[in-house]
Amino acid sequence: MSHSTVETAPDAQADWPDGIYALLKQYSIRQVALVPDAGHSRLIKRCLADNELRVVTLTTEEEGIALMQGAWLGGERSVLLMQSSGVGNCINMLSLSSIHRTPMPMIVTMRGDFGEFNPAQVAMGQATQSVLEAMGTLVHRADRAEDVLPTVEASLKLAFNTFRPTATLIGQRVLGAKTFGKD
Amino acid sequence: MLAPSGKIDRRELTRALLTDRGGMLVIAGLGAPAWDITAVDDGPQNLPLWGGMGGAAMIGLGLALAQPSRRVLVLTGDGEMLMGIGSLATIAHQAPKNLAIVVQDNEHYGETGMQETATRHGTDLATMARGAGIKNTMLVTEAGDVAALVKAARESDGPFFGVVKVDAGNKPLVLPPREGAILQARMREHLMGPQAHLA
């Protein structure tokens, strides 16, 4: 039994992160705001390697909502990558989108979801969709790997075509649950 | 430039920052800074905020990255800056040369009954900005230093972070449009022309 506490994306061999990267390029995203999550690590590496993408690492996720507001003001498209726990940090700042009608697509990797190990993740994980929707965000879930790309694409289209916050929640069933070596 | 208290008048400071502004875009934090930029020089180069407390500096960052040929000024208050203080680390990391942040520090929450902020009790925002990694900072307490602040905010290599200790008295309210969609659309049209609305 491994006792490693280093989190790795359990399906690191899956290719959907590369597909999300391709969608970010297809939809002309220029600023990628993020607080790192293991489930996004492969996508983050792809973004960092691309000189046409500005990766903005945040101290808290609400900064990303404000960054997306500024990017759109200046004519650039952006996206926010985060873990479900970070959604709670965004709540009031999401009002910027309803104030100004600003596209704000979010791609959220879930914790506190399917087979969670850590009790601390459950409260926010279970509340993630509700609080996003309470702030006017259109939310779509992907719980199978083959659903991730169509769902991300739908969320990007909805954000930029209809000027609002949208979120794709990538379920822990896709990502695998972090086990702290206790599986 | 001075209020009866002998401190710098925040609206006159705003006037100094915005007069002959050239192409400078301005994001104003909610409350007094939003009223001030509206009183002094309202128009499509301004985004006065009605909400999103703590987000003004990051909105400035997103705009500065999207419009690297434009100067971007974030004018905000001490309470708003304190709420988003972590963004100074994010901004230092990105190091946009065209971004300036100026805090009108009246040491109070002016919109909610003049409760004291932490800057009334020793918190030094310019020092915090330097700690976050922003090297180009300035603390202004004397009217004679405002001209140098204005020059730094407009012309120096960013990110620039300035703090001006201002009089805490309230000024006459001058409200911008409350419809945020108009405020956003007018700046986008200013930058991109009518095509902005077809994006």
Side-chain angles (χ1 to χ4, degrees):
Chain A
M1 187 170 74
S2 163
H3 290 274
S4 168
T5 56
V6 176
E7 186 172 6
T8 56
D11 63 345
Q13 302 308 309
D15 59 2
W16 56 261
D18 296 333
I20 296 179
Y21 169 77
L23 284 170
L24 299 185
K25 301 296 287 183
Q26 182 184 335
Y27 284 85
S28 305
I29 302 295
R30 298 298 301 275
Q31 299 185 32
V32 180
L34 60 91
V35 173
D37 179 63
H40 278 317
S41 60
R42 181 161 162 179
L43 172 59
I44 293 168
K45 275 184 194 162
R46 292 295 308 271
C47 293
L48 284 167
D50 185 337
N51 288 332
E52 291 182 349
L53 290 178
R54 175 67 79 122
V55 174
V56 179
T57 303
L58 313 163
T59 72
T60 179
E61 290 82 355
E62 68 178 320
E63 291 177 9
I65 302 295
L67 185 87
M68 290 196 285
Q69 172 66 70
W72 183 251
L73 269 178
E76 285 195 348
R77 292 179 165 197
S78 61
V79 69
L80 172 57
L81 311 181
M82 61 184 153
Q83 182 188 100
S84 50
S85 50
V87 167
N89 295 342
C90 297
I91 298 173
N92 181 60
M93 203 62 80
L94 278 167
S95 60
L96 288 173
S97 179
S98 62
I99 293 169
H100 304 108
R101 288 177 48 74
T102 310
M104 294 189 177
M106 294 165 264
I107 305 175
V108 179
T109 44
M110 291 302 298
R111 295 291 306 272
D113 190 29
F114 194 85
E116 177 61 56
F117 174 83
N118 181 353
Q121 286 284 354
V122 176
M124 191 63 234
Q126 290 298 306
T128 294
Q129 183 160 355
S130 300
V131 299
L132 283 168
E133 289 176 341
M135 291 304 294
T137 307
L138 299 184
V139 180
H140 297 297
R141 282 192 67 108
D143 284 304
R144 297 183 305 169
E146 59 266 37
D147 291 340
V148 171
L149 296 184
T151 308
V152 169
E153 182 165 20
S155 293
L156 290 169
K157 281 183 175 173
L158 268 173
F160 293 114
N161 290 339
T162 76
F163 314 105
R164 68 189 72 242
T166 67
T168 299
L169 309 186
I170 303 175
Q172 223 163 347
R173 194 165 193 175
V174 176
L175 300 163
K178 179 181 174 183
T179 62
F180 297 90
K182 299 286 190 188
D183 52 341
Chain B
M1 183 59 68
L2 293 181
S5 68
K7 287 190 166 180
I8 292 168
D9 180 285
R10 66 159 215 259
R11 195 154 287 175
E12 292 309 311
L13 167 69
T14 306
R15 195 179 313 282
L17 283 163
L18 268 55
T19 299
D20 301 325
R21 67 198 282 181
M24 185 171 71
L25 305 170
V26 179
I27 307 291
L30 75 175
W35 320 149
D36 289 339
I37 67 167
T38 303
V40 167
D41 186 26
D42 187 35
Q45 295 180 89
N46 289 356
L47 185 83
L49 287 163
W50 284 95
M53 185 164 176
M58 286 300 297
I59 296 172
L61 176 62
L63 178 59
L65 294 176
Q67 291 285 332
S69 66
R70 289 283 194 132
R71 196 70 176 182
V72 174
L73 170 67
V74 174
L75 184 67
T76 194
D78 45 306
E80 204 276 345
M81 192 68 250
L82 283 164
M83 190 173 283
I85 199 71
S87 60
L88 296 180
T90 305
I91 287 164
H93 180 178
Q94 296 297 323
K97 289 192 184 308
N98 57 328
L99 177 63
I101 300 165
V102 173
V103 179
Q104 298 179 330
D105 184 0
N106 71 357
E107 304 182 348
H108 292 79
Y109 294 100
E111 297 294 312
T112 54
M114 297 305 288
Q115 300 87 354
E116 294 173 349
T117 67
T119 64
R120 181 80 180 84
H121 298 278
T123 298
D124 179 341
L125 288 167
T127 298
M128 293 183 86
R130 282 196 295 280
I134 296 176
K135 296 181 177 67
N136 187 7
T137 70
M138 191 180 291
L139 171 62
V140 173
T141 57
E142 305 291 334
D145 293 331
V146 167
L149 173 100
V150 170
K151 185 174 171 59
R154 290 184 184 178
E155 298 173 19
S156 69
D157 265 2
F160 169 76
F161 186 88
V163 178
V164 184
K165 292 290 186 180
V166 297
D167 180 67
N170 278 323
K171 309 295 292 184
L173 280 180
V174 181
L175 301 182
R178 284 205 310 291
E179 175 52 272
I182 289 175
L183 297 171
Q184 175 174 270
R186 72 182 190 175
M187 183 179 282
R188 283 173 51 82
E189 184 172 272
H190 168 76
L191 291 169
M192 293 163 271
Q195 282 297 116
H197 312 309
L198 299 173

